[in-house]
Amino acid sequence: MNDSSVDSSEKNPGSEKLNLSTKLAYGAGDLGPAITANISIFFLLVFFTNVAGIPPGFAGSILMIGKIWDAVNDPFIGYLTDKTQSRRWGRRLPWLIYGAVPFGVFFFLQWIVPKFTNDPNTNVWGLFWYYVAIAIISQVFYTVVNLPYTAMTPELTQDYDERTSLNSFRFAFSIGGSIFSLILARIIFTTISDRQQQYVILAAVCSIISVLALYWCVFGTQKRVLAFEAKRSQAEVSAEIPIMEQLKIVFSNRPFLFVIGIYLCSWLGVQITASTIPYFVVNCMLLKDSDVPTVMIGVQGTALLMLFVWSALSKSVGKKIVYFMGMFMWIIAASGLYFLKPGQIVLMYVLAVMAGFGVSVAYLVPWSMMPDVIELDQLQTGQRREGIFYGFMVLLQKFGLAFGLFVVGLALQSSGFKEATAGSGVLPIQPESALQAIRIAVGPIPVISLIFGLVLTYFYPITREMHAEILLKLQERQSGK
């Protein structure tokens, strides 16, 4: 795209379409958080039990503590990003600049297995507290880079359909990065026999890619972000609202409550399934560790291909219909996984592809709804508070996920799941009760969560027509000043 079009979009950031370079740079900002989050979702629980030798109840507790702390710091950091002042970088970008390197370092540190003592029982407690400390610190820096990034969406464009397109680029990088990391995992798992070394190398490569991608996002979106900041600073003259009053307004925004509910239900299904799949593939389907990334690539590859299909389809039929179509296919797939038997490998991959249709919608639709909610709040209050809305959306989502992951770990331990001995490299044979718990976690539990999400989506109140009316009223207000 030529320079004149770029300049035009910068002068009027609310109404103009985004150029390709800006969309690519914005999408790159989700590459690092997505790679690290997906590697953690898919492998961290199994790493704790099968490499570090931590009992599944303890492993689930580590994940829960990390998620709860991550949730607690989200609104605080969101509020701070709304108040950040920088002529050179705006409100959001300074957080990405200074948080990128620590984010990569602490992600890497959670994949090493330090030895504190020769006594296995005592060493387990040392590992437990080490991983708790790393989880807390790493989640802080994850929030520092990811929350300001997600809050940039409504600042880059106010066009209803363009936001869906922008999120398509974002999640293309997100899912594409996940697929790349899974291909990388398969290569590493196939060529390196030592399980601990496998994860160390995987984490190191993913950390480096994550940091570089965040800086691409910063420098690629800087001009567009600053153009919006200049316009916002001129238009926003309303009196400051105290933080407690802001919280009251956030939770009185009815569409916002629907969005966080839809997002929670969708991602509870995603994360519980993703954390359980490695156990399902190895213990229930009797395949190898190196087959786990291949199954996940089937899901994520389909999700990537469908992103732009769903994005285009949503322009004609709307976000709700797209969400229903994807979720119905995922529910069928999750139900089928519960009944799979060893040897039904082809059917397993068919169900993985079907699940990918729904996972793609879970990425796309809830995040496309959030900017609409923010503009409704702007109409009601006269202020744009992306940070606090995104912060509380992620806070409530992570509380739910923390509880879900804790329950999965506790259920595995209660069912008699046997963790590996650290450094042994040998996986124990699991009892039938543990296999049944794995099947329930990969099938019925996600189905229930997805059904609740469908109910909430049906009653979500903001349509394309209502959003157009909101924007019209905002424009009238600004032109009248």
Side-chain angles (χ1 to χ4, degrees):
M1 189 170 285
N2 59 37
D3 292 338
S4 63
S5 64
V6 174
D7 292 339
S8 176
S9 68
E10 289 170 7
K11 291 177 182 178
N12 195 1
S15 61
E16 296 292 334
K17 301 295 183 180
L18 296 171
N19 58 63
L20 180 60
S21 63
T22 301
K23 288 183 177 180
L24 289 172
Y26 178 74
D30 207 34
L31 183 64
I35 287 177
T36 57
N38 282 308
I39 289 295
S40 298
I41 291 168
F42 291 137
F43 296 118
L44 195 53
L45 184 61
V46 75
F47 168 79
F48 286 153
T49 59
N50 292 356
V51 178
I54 298 175
F58 279 19
S61 298
I62 295 169
L63 296 175
M64 180 183 69
I65 293 169
K67 285 290 183 184
I68 289 177
W69 173 248
D70 190 17
V72 168
N73 67 54
D74 279 335
F76 179 67
I77 291 178
Y79 176 76
L80 291 179
T81 67
D82 284 342
K83 301 302 174 187
T84 300
Q85 301 290 335
S86 173
R87 290 186 178 181
R88 183 178 180 184
W89 301 108
R91 294 185 295 173
R92 317 296 179 190
L93 297 183
W95 295 79
L96 276 66
I97 293 171
Y98 297 111
V101 173
F103 164 67
V105 169
F106 282 97
F107 171 75
F108 171 77
L109 290 177
Q110 68 184 343
W111 299 95
I112 65 174
V113 185
K115 187 174 182 180
F116 297 98
T117 176
N118 291 326
D119 179 35
N121 293 329
T122 305
N123 195 59
V124 164
W125 281 104
L127 289 172
F128 174 80
W129 290 113
Y130 168 79
Y131 290 123
V132 166
I134 294 297
I136 289 172
I137 299 172
S138 65
Q139 291 295 348
V140 168
F141 285 108
Y142 180 91
T143 302
V144 162
V145 298
N146 187 243
L147 194 147
Y149 166 77
T150 58
M152 288 166 57
T153 308
E155 300 181 354
L156 292 174
T157 178
Q158 291 182 333
D159 185 271
Y160 184 85
D161 292 319
E162 189 73 355
R163 283 172 173 170
T164 304
S165 173
L166 185 63
N167 276 293
S168 297
F169 277 83
R170 171 189 172 186
F171 293 120
F173 273 89
S174 176
I175 300 175
S178 176
I179 293 171
F180 169 77
S181 65
L182 292 172
I183 294 172
L184 182 63
R186 178 168 176 79
I187 294 172
I188 293 172
F189 291 173
T190 303
T191 56
I192 299 175
S193 58
D194 184 277
R195 281 193 173 89
Q196 183 175 343
Q197 190 177 3
Q198 290 172 353
Y199 287 105
V200 168
I201 294 174
L202 179 62
V205 176
C206 290
S207 296
I208 293 171
I209 294 172
S210 299
V211 172
L212 295 177
L214 284 167
Y215 284 119
W216 177 10
C217 175
V218 169
F219 293 105
T221 62
Q222 180 187 7
K223 291 183 180 179
R224 181 79 182 192
V225 168
L226 292 182
F228 174 86
E229 284 294 310
K231 184 178 179 180
R232 180 191 65 84
S233 62
Q234 294 173 0
E236 188 174 281
V237 295
S238 300
E240 182 70 21
I241 301 177
I243 179 64
M244 294 308 297
E245 185 66 21
Q246 290 194 30
L247 302 185
K248 181 180 178 181
I249 293 173
V250 163
F251 287 102
S252 65
N253 187 314
R254 184 167 172 266
F256 172 70
L257 300 181
F258 277 95
V259 172
I260 58 177
I262 294 166
Y263 187 49
L264 172 59
C265 291
S266 302
W267 278 91
L268 197 58
V270 170
Q271 296 209 21
I272 289 179
T273 302
S275 297
T276 312
I277 279 290
Y279 297 107
F280 179 80
V281 171
V282 173
N283 296 287
C284 296
M285 300 303 291
L286 305 180
L287 299 176
K288 299 178 180 179
D289 285 342
S290 57
D291 292 310
V292 174
T294 308
V295 177
M296 296 172 177
I297 290 170
V299 178
Q300 296 291 76
T302 304
L304 176 61
L305 293 175
M306 286 304 299
L307 266 180
F308 297 98
V309 176
W310 291 133
S311 177
L313 192 59
S314 70
K315 294 180 181 179
S316 57
V317 302
K319 298 173 185 177
K320 284 187 178 182
I321 299 299
V322 163
Y323 188 85
F324 268 79
M325 293 169 65
M327 288 301 118
F328 275 128
M329 296 193 70
W330 189 1
I331 288 171
I332 294 171
S335 301
L337 286 174
Y338 176 79
F339 296 101
L340 272 183
K341 302 297 181 184
Q344 297 179 314
I345 308 303
V346 174
L347 181 56
M348 179 184 69
Y349 282 105
V350 171
L351 295 176
V353 169
M354 289 180 63
F357 280 78
V359 170
S360 183
V361 170
Y363 276 101
L364 183 63
V365 172
W367 285 111
S368 298
M369 293 175 170
M370 269 299 289
D372 311 334
V373 170
I374 290 169
E375 271 149 4
L376 175 62
D377 172 71
Q378 182 185 8
L379 181 63
Q380 295 171 341
T381 67
Q383 291 193 352
R384 292 189 67 90
R385 296 191 303 262
E386 294 91 344
I388 194 166
F389 271 97
Y390 279 98
F392 273 92
M393 178 180 180
V394 179
L395 178 147
L396 297 176
Q397 174 244 353
K398 288 175 180 176
F399 269 130
L401 294 178
F403 177 73
L405 292 172
F406 173 71
V407 169
V408 169
L410 198 61
L412 288 177
Q413 185 157 327
S414 300
S415 68
F417 182 91
K418 299 178 181 179
E419 70 274 7
T421 301
S424 68
V426 179
L427 297 179
I429 298 175
Q430 301 299 335
E432 184 60 34
S433 57
L435 298 180
Q436 180 65 11
I438 292 170
R439 290 184 178 277
I440 292 173
V442 84
I445 293 178
V447 166
I448 293 171
S449 180
L450 298 178
I451 290 174
F452 276 111
L454 287 174
V455 173
L456 292 171
T457 303
Y458 179 81
F459 290 102
Y460 176 67
I462 298 182
T463 62
R464 179 185 283 108
E465 293 73 22
M466 181 179 177
H467 178 257
E469 184 179 351
I470 291 170
L471 284 184
L472 180 61
K473 290 180 179 179
L474 286 173
Q475 292 169 1
E476 291 175 349
R477 175 185 294 175
Q478 292 175 2
S479 62
K481 287 183 177 180

